[in-house]
Amino acid sequence: MPSYAITGASKGIGREFVRQLAANPTNTVLAIVRDPDSPDISELASHHPNVHIIQGDVTDPKSILEAASAAEAVTGGPLDVLIHNSNAVDMASMSSTPTQIPFDSRAVRTMFDLPFSTAIYGGLWTTNAFLPLIERGVRKKIVHISSAMGDCAFIRKSGVSDAVAYAVAKAGMNVQVAKYAAELAPKGIKVVALSPGWVDTWEGEKPEPVVHAQQVMLKQFQTAEPTLKGQIQPEESVKKCLQAIGHLDMGSSGLLLSHNGDTERWF
Ligand SMILES: NC(=O)c1ccc[n+]([C@@H]2O[C@H](COP(=O)([O-])OP(=O)(O)OC[C@H]3O[C@@H](n4cnc5c(N)ncnc54)[C@H](OP(=O)(O)O)[C@@H]3O)[C@@H](O)[C@H]2O)c1
């Protein structure tokens, strides 16, 4: 009876992980959310007795430790797969390039705080809180949902120079993952950073600035991948991510993988 815990499960890719995993009644699925009353995840859980909603904020050590205790109470001790998916950014500065970063410490903290809190501190606290459960699990897999935006080779190939704070946070996440993989290898624990592809998780109608920003991104991404047509849906992304997680072994532990299961096909 495999068990999975997913942070940031209220919407987008996190909720899709819950939806697809819940479809197999032999899975135990722990949906970690900041607000357990989020309507979409509550609705999903109401149709699947194998989904357990657990309150947890990855940027709050006490909260995520309590979430791990709650998860332990549900599973009886072990956890097979942890998926640290949570992410937050300062949307107002996403289009800033490095030379546009102001000489203003408060403004720079505003840009970096959210992605660092979720990807870096949140990645550490979530992993450390759930590690005792993973040690007792059978599959022993830890996955941090990252991005090719934090991959230097992809940045060189695509020429994407904006989204500085987000990309730096994901690059830091990739390094943390490699550190965890190195430390936990003797225990047989696999740790990977996984890029889900370019995924349409916008809810509702897209405002014009978002449509424009995505057109700009598409052109940039096409520099790296000329055949790219646009975003994929969460369903396709998560299906491929779950296949990649299924194949994860000690040989790929520590890497940044794409949803296609390799280190090159980011779309
Ligand atoms: N979409 C893409 O194209 C794409 C591409 C590359 C990588 N990714 C990565 O894939 C992951 C999911 O992306 P997405 O597009 O599905 O994002 P999303 O729709 O913005 O969802 C982000 C999730 O993170 C949660 N979250 C934010 N702050 C949190 C906190 N402090 N503690 C716990 N949860 C928190 C949100 O919960 P609340 O409802 O409580 O805010 C939400 O469930 C992210 O790590 C993202 O960087 C996405």
Side-chain angles (χ1 to χ4, degrees):
M1 199 164 133
S3 51
Y4 295 79
I6 303 102
T7 71
S10 67
K11 58 184 180 189
I13 292 168
R15 189 182 58 213
E16 182 63 16
F17 269 116
V18 175
R19 194 186 72 78
Q20 292 193 22
L21 289 166
N24 180 345
T26 68
N27 289 335
T28 298
V29 188
L30 309 169
I32 319 283
V33 293
R34 287 195 291 187
D35 175 10
D37 296 323
S38 304
D40 289 345
I41 195 72
S42 310
E43 161 79 5
L44 188 55
S46 71
H47 293 106
H48 296 279
N50 58 341
V51 173
H52 305 264
I53 298 178
I54 293 174
Q55 203 277 333
D57 182 336
V58 302
T59 65
D60 176 350
K62 184 170 172 286
S63 168
I64 205 67
L65 275 167
E66 286 171 0
S69 293
E72 200 172 345
V74 172
T75 65
L79 177 69
D80 288 307
V81 183
L82 169 66
I83 302 175
H84 170 57
N85 163 77
S86 298
N87 177 66
V89 292
D90 171 44
M91 286 303 285
S93 59
M94 277 296 269
S95 62
S96 296
T97 60
T99 61
Q100 293 169 336
I101 305 290
F103 290 97
D104 176 335
S105 59
R106 190 189 291 177
V108 170
R109 282 202 190 91
T110 300
M111 295 167 78
F112 281 80
D113 268 0
L114 285 172
F116 270 45
S117 296
T118 45
I120 303 295
Y121 318 139
L124 289 167
W125 290 325
T126 303
T127 304
N128 292 349
F130 282 86
L131 188 57
L133 286 73
I134 290 287
E135 286 177 355
R136 292 191 287 265
V138 174
R139 302 191 179 186
K140 299 188 192 302
K141 295 181 179 182
I142 299 173
V143 179
H144 289 206
I145 301 298
S146 187
S147 171
M149 297 281 270
D151 179 71
C152 293
F154 176 77
I155 296 168
R156 279 166 52 87
K157 206 169 168 188
S158 63
V160 178
S161 59
D162 59 7
V164 176
Y166 175 72
V168 171
K170 291 299 194 187
M173 171 184 262
N174 300 343
V175 172
Q176 276 187 180
V177 159
K179 295 282 185 192
Y180 272 118
E183 183 185 357
L184 299 176
K187 294 181 172 180
I189 297 173
K190 286 77 70 182
V191 193
V192 77
L194 182 61
S195 169
W198 191 30
V199 191
D200 188 2
T201 54
W202 191 272
E203 296 189 337
E205 198 176 326
K206 287 178 191 163
E208 209 290 314
V210 172
V211 174
H212 175 72
Q214 290 189 340
Q215 285 167 348
V216 172
M217 281 170 83
L218 176 59
K219 285 211 169 67
Q220 290 176 316
F221 291 162
Q222 283 171 333
T223 308
E225 179 47 69
T227 62
L228 179 69
K229 297 281 183 292
Q231 293 180 300
I232 57 174
Q233 292 304 306
E235 185 172 357
E236 178 183 350
S237 166
V238 168
K239 190 175 167 211
K240 290 182 173 174
C241 283
L242 286 172
Q243 284 169 356
I245 293 169
H247 290 127
L248 171 58
D249 59 17
M250 294 309 288
S252 48
S253 187
L255 293 176
L256 166 65
L257 294 177
S258 79
H259 60 306
N260 293 307
D262 59 36
T263 55
E264 296 196 358
R265 292 177 298 153
W266 302 114
F267 297 105

